Amino acid sequence: MKKLILFTLLIQCLSVFGQSNDRPNFVVVFCDDLGYGDIGAFGSPMIRTPNIDQMAAEGQKWTQFYVGDPVCTPSRAALLTGRYPIRSGMTSSERHVLFPDSANGLKQEEVTIAEVLKAEGYATAAVGKWHLGHLPEFLPQEQGFDSYFGIPYSNDMNNNGFFGEYSKNADDPNYFSEIDYFDVPLIENTTTIERPTDQTTITKRYTERAVQFIEKNKEKPFFLYLAHSMPHIPLFTSKAFKGRSKASLYVDVIEEVDWSVGQIIDALKVNNLDKNTIVVFTSDNGPWLLFKTHGGSAGPFRAGKGTTFEGGQRVPTVFWGPGIVKSGVINEMGSTLDLMNTFAALSGGKVPDDRKMDGYDLSKVLTQKADSPRKEFYYWAFAELHGYRTEQYKVHIKQRDPINYGQPTITLDKPELYDVRADISEKYDLADNFPEVVQTLLDKMEVHLKDVEGSTPDQLAERLPKE
Ligand code: MG
């Protein structure tokens, strides 16, 4: 009898131990300015992305996946907090994103995915572009990450006037810039270890760090946030990829990112983690069309980065995780805003309940291919509400120039309405045909605007005093 009790206790202990190990690991690969049309599985006729294509074939390819904002800083805040960036003050009508002279960043009281998972015993690492504040009090270790390695803002910053020169050469698909034109630091935790960063090896070095983190934490659950600096201009590749595509520098760069994805997947397989890990591949916003052949393609969608057209906010997204994710194509809505709720549901973590959140739990879509709970999306840019989408219709009241989003916001004389299921390119304005639909969507926008009243004020506008 004693033996039986001991045996039962042993089994219980093992099952509890087993459960804690069963919690999935999460890897988010977040590209910078990668367009919807820049991946083979999403229709690129030119760019070879066999590793991402394989992920899409084995996992879930999402065709209507939205970023929370069409530019870098707010989009990153949206992903990590599960909140439209207007709520955290991480979007601005004065400055598009954070810059090296910015005084602020993501406030400490914001709760990130890393903090939610860390509370559940996860190991956490941020590798790559941060862009949520470069001062020590805003770096990743203040937001739930155990470690950080990367360029803390965009790779084109501190450019000493070279930015304009670069844009002039954007007609040349193989124009190659010099690394010292862009005086960006490479940071390890809180220390600058290199400046300017040798960007030719940046994708490779981010990848090495990511693989090391996976190997080091194979015995415990982990969250890896790998935010590539590429393909944001200026474009750089390692020697092995320069000229490899025989197409253009942009194509070389994406092929190196795809190689990186292959390295991550291989590391998971070698360490027997592939059945218990979810890898999300996506982008922070659409392609930067101003940079012509150095920017990517939004595929069938209108416009690109910085706009609230579909080309600015719909991004190529794959969820991979054999053993967890049920394979298929998901033609329903999802968003980076939803990763917080989804990861919390899969890990047993707690979504903050003391503030307004904007995410949905997609875990049943991933595991059972259930209907997506996301049935609507608000299009914010530069602290202004531009539009709103339900499952079928999207209304615009404001827009930005489709190519040069830096121009001031255009407030439309009258709202435009698109059937984004039938007309994915937003070509045919149906507002005159369906005035009652327009009114219903405008009413929803009014309610949403009331809901964000009293949010954290603009954190992007303030600059550090000049030295
Ligand atoms: Mg970006």
Side-chain angles (χ1 to χ4, degrees):
M1 188 63 188
K2 248 184 186 169
K3 269 187 185 163
L4 184 63
I5 291 169
L6 275 174
F7 181 71
T8 311
L9 276 173
L10 182 68
I11 294 291
Q12 280 172 352
C13 284
L14 280 173
S15 68
V16 168
F17 183 70
Q19 275 167 10
S20 67
N21 266 2
D22 281 347
R23 287 178 303 161
N25 310 301
F26 302 104
V27 177
V28 173
V29 181
F30 201 35
C31 294
D32 196 357
D33 296 4
L34 176 76
Y36 188 93
D38 291 329
I39 299 296
F42 288 82
S44 175
M46 163 97 72
I47 307 178
R48 295 171 297 184
T49 52
N51 294 299
I52 301 162
D53 297 353
Q54 185 73 22
M55 278 177 71
E58 293 173 1
Q60 288 185 358
K61 170 185 157 179
W62 286 64
T63 61
Q64 302 187 40
F65 202 83
Y66 290 93
V67 282
D69 193 281
V71 289
C72 296
T73 294
S75 175
R76 283 149 212 274
L79 184 151
L80 285 174
T81 64
R83 282 149 59 84
Y84 286 110
I86 191 72
R87 297 198 195 276
S88 56
M90 293 300 282
T91 177
S92 171
S93 56
E94 288 183 45
R95 293 193 105 185
H96 297 160
V97 294
L98 290 168
F99 286 86
D101 67 347
S102 293
N104 296 307
L106 186 67
K107 278 181 161 293
Q108 301 225 342
E109 56 258 39
E110 290 297 324
V111 177
T112 68
I113 295 176
E115 287 169 314
V116 167
L117 294 174
K118 197 173 169 66
E120 302 303 312
Y122 276 63
T124 55
V127 176
K129 177 172 174 175
W130 179 239
H131 217 181
L132 295 173
H134 72 287
L135 299 173
E137 61 269 35
F138 300 114
L139 285 172
Q141 285 172 306
E142 299 295 329
Q143 289 289 359
F145 290 100
D146 298 330
S147 63
Y148 175 57
F149 176 85
I151 300 173
Y153 35 68
S154 295
N155 62 325
D156 64 336
M157 291 181 170
N158 293 321
N159 60 58
N160 303 322
F162 193 75
F163 185 87
E165 193 64 29
Y166 194 95
S167 69
K168 270 189 252 160
N169 286 291
D171 277 336
D172 176 356
N174 294 306
Y175 176 71
F176 201 78
S177 188
E178 300 293 332
I179 53 171
D180 54 4
Y181 293 153
F182 302 90
D183 188 26
V184 289
L186 182 64
I187 291 185
E188 171 123 47
N189 296 328
T190 54
T191 308
T192 297
I193 56 169
E194 188 176 306
R195 188 163 192 165
T197 303
D198 179 357
Q199 294 198 45
T200 63
T201 55
I202 200 65
T203 299
K204 197 164 165 241
R205 287 190 284 168
Y206 286 170
T207 307
E208 285 163 4
R209 290 296 179 126
V211 168
Q212 281 165 17
F213 173 77
I214 290 168
E215 283 168 353
K216 196 173 145 206
N217 292 288
K218 60 186 173 192
E219 306 293 346
K220 63 188 287 198
F222 61 79
F223 169 50
L224 169 63
Y225 173 67
L226 170 55
H228 281 293
S229 291
M230 296 291 141
H232 190 289
I233 67 96
L235 302 174
F236 290 100
T237 64
S238 65
K239 278 205 190 97
F241 285 87
K242 194 176 168 189
R244 180 179 178 266
S245 71
K246 298 191 172 57
S248 72
L249 179 56
Y250 187 85
V251 177
D252 293 342
V253 165
I254 305 301
E255 291 190 5
E256 187 161 27
V257 168
D258 180 74
W259 164 84
S260 170
V261 168
Q263 296 294 301
I264 305 283
I265 301 288
D266 284 352
L268 294 171
K269 287 181 176 167
V270 165
N271 291 290
N272 285 323
L273 298 166
D274 50 317
K275 298 287 191 295
N276 195 31
T277 302
I278 292 179
V279 181
V280 186
F281 176 88
T282 189
S283 177
D284 72 332
N285 49 249
W288 202 349
L289 300 177
L290 189 65
F291 285 90
K292 301 173 187 167
T293 56
H294 283 227
S297 162
F301 302 130
R302 185 169 168 185
K305 173 179 178 171
T307 77
T308 48
F309 292 108
E310 297 296 284
Q313 293 203 244
R314 254 205 239 192
V315 284
T317 303
V318 176
F319 286 80
W320 179 89
I324 304 172
V325 177
K326 203 169 179 184
S327 176
V329 178
I330 307 298
N331 291 314
E332 291 188 83
M333 297 169 78
S335 171
T336 50
L337 291 164
D338 303 331
L339 295 183
M340 162 81 83
N341 290 53
T342 305
F343 292 178
L346 291 164
S347 66
K350 284 184 202 65
V351 174
D353 58 5
D354 61 346
R355 63 197 71 203
K356 287 175 178 163
M357 302 294 293
D358 297 303
Y360 292 91
D361 169 12
L362 305 179
S363 63
K364 289 198 168 58
V365 192
L366 299 182
T367 58
Q368 303 164 26
K369 282 172 76 178
D371 284 348
S372 174
R374 178 171 284 284
K375 307 293 183 195
E376 62 176 6
F377 186 78
Y378 292 96
Y379 296 80
W380 281 93
F382 313 109
E384 294 180 305
L385 184 57
H386 284 202
Y388 171 67
R389 178 188 166 181
T390 59
E391 288 181 84
Q392 182 175 7
Y393 290 111
K394 173 179 176 183
V395 70
H396 291 253
I397 59 167
K398 295 181 180 193
Q399 289 166 354
R400 285 257 171 155
D401 183 274
I403 305 294
N404 188 0
Y405 71 84
Q407 303 289 322
T409 300
I410 302 154
T411 300
L412 301 174
D413 293 337
K414 63 182 201 56
E416 292 176 7
L417 182 75
Y418 297 94
D419 178 344
V420 280
R421 277 189 187 157
D423 172 25
I424 59 172
S425 306
E426 297 172 273
K427 278 185 181 161
Y428 308 107
D429 176 12
L430 302 175
D432 289 342
N433 305 54
F434 302 110
E436 69 293 346
V437 174
V438 171
Q439 195 52 53
T440 305
L441 299 189
L442 293 178
D443 291 348
K444 291 284 290 187
M445 288 173 74
E446 278 303 314
V447 172
H448 183 63
L449 281 171
K450 286 244 159 36
D451 189 57
V452 304
E453 275 177 13
S455 290
T456 304
D458 183 345
Q459 299 297 301
L460 309 189
E462 194 186 337
R463 295 166 201 239
L464 293 166
K466 285 218 168 76
E467 282 164 17

